[in-house]
Amino acid sequence: MADFTWTTRSPLQQAVIAGKHGAAIAKAGIRLSEIRDFDLVQVFARRGQWAATAKAAKAYFGVVAPTGPKAVTGKKGVLVWSGADQFMALSPRIGTIQPIDGLRGVFEGFASLSDQSDGRCLIRLSGPRVRDMLAKVNSLDLHDSVFAVGTAAATSIDHTAVNLWREADAADGSPVFSVLVFSSFADSLWHTLVDSAAEYGIEVESLSIAAG
């Protein structure tokens, strides 16, 4: 019998090509990167157990779990609201430890956990023209007065379901957005983003770092 060796690879392995793309302008208006090496666990409070789930999250992550469309950064990861009485815990991947193993004891008895780590891709978008680019493919109002740092949404980009949230602004003051998309749609979404950003000039950063 033949032996098989399975090699884990990102669905965006071929799509993410570092360098400048699109319009040849002096300073790119859009920066795109894929973030790898992260763990992602969906936390669902069981019926009537949200208070206990939130208390456990506060003790472990050091921040109050979001009860609305927000993303909050704690000492061990980012908690992203994903619906009523539920959130996603995004954290750096550490060795071969299974992400659920690290959280099972934290939420045992009052929350259910689902490992989504290899089922999602994480894309980061920034740059002075990032809102213009997103306006082509998403219906949300992303103005500062409406979509401030820490705001999150379960939405769609060009009919593809995503979780989107705004991180702290980049060093140049431009907004930064993170997008979680199901792995099976990641390649299509990446090309949609590149096409939408082309007129502004794109800088693609090839990142394979832990999300923090």
Side-chain angles (χ1 to χ4, degrees):
M1 181 180 292
D3 292 330
F4 293 94
T5 300
W6 300 100
T7 301
T8 301
R9 57 183 292 175
S10 166
L12 294 176
Q13 189 76 33
Q14 301 299 321
V16 178
I17 302 173
K20 294 185 177 181
H21 304 274
I25 57 179
K27 184 177 180 180
I30 306 291
R31 293 185 293 273
L32 290 174
S33 60
E34 180 198 6
I35 308 301
R36 301 178 187 168
D37 301 330
F38 64 86
D39 287 331
L40 182 70
V41 176
Q42 184 85 41
V43 180
F44 303 89
R46 296 174 185 172
R47 183 174 298 179
Q49 295 296 320
W50 172 251
T53 300
K55 182 178 179 180
K58 177 67 165 62
Y60 185 78
F61 291 100
V63 289
V64 177
T67 56
K70 299 290 181 182
V72 294
T73 301
K75 59 186 179 182
K76 295 184 179 181
V78 180
L79 306 184
V80 183
W81 177 85
S82 56
D85 294 349
Q86 60 181 276
F87 59 88
M88 291 180 289
L90 175 69
S91 60
R93 178 163 292 171
I94 302 175
T96 59
I97 298 174
Q98 296 299 309
I100 286 184
D101 290 343
L103 294 177
R104 185 174 286 114
V106 177
F107 295 104
E108 187 172 7
F110 40 82
S112 299
L113 308 176
S114 175
D115 185 359
Q116 298 289 309
S117 305
D118 295 322
R120 306 287 184 105
C121 283
L122 178 59
I123 299 171
R124 187 163 291 159
L125 311 88
S126 62
R129 302 301 299 273
V130 67
R131 287 194 186 91
D132 298 318
M133 182 267 282
L134 284 172
K136 298 180 181 181
V137 292
N138 178 263
S139 60
L140 292 177
D141 184 349
L142 300 176
H143 189 272
D144 281 337
S145 62
V146 178
F147 210 89
V149 172
T151 304
T155 182
S156 65
I157 292 179
D158 194 35
H159 308 292
T160 299
V162 300
N163 292 92
L164 178 148
W165 68 95
R166 184 175 171 188
E167 300 187 15
D169 291 347
D172 64 358
S174 63
V176 179
F177 299 95
S178 283
V179 174
L180 272 173
V181 58
F182 285 106
S183 296
S184 55
F185 297 108
D187 185 81
S188 175
L189 180 65
W190 179 270
H191 287 293
T192 293
L193 294 174
V194 170
D195 289 346
S196 300
E199 68 172 296
Y200 308 119
I202 310 164
E203 181 72 31
V204 174
E205 301 172 351
S206 182
L207 297 182
S208 182
I209 60 175

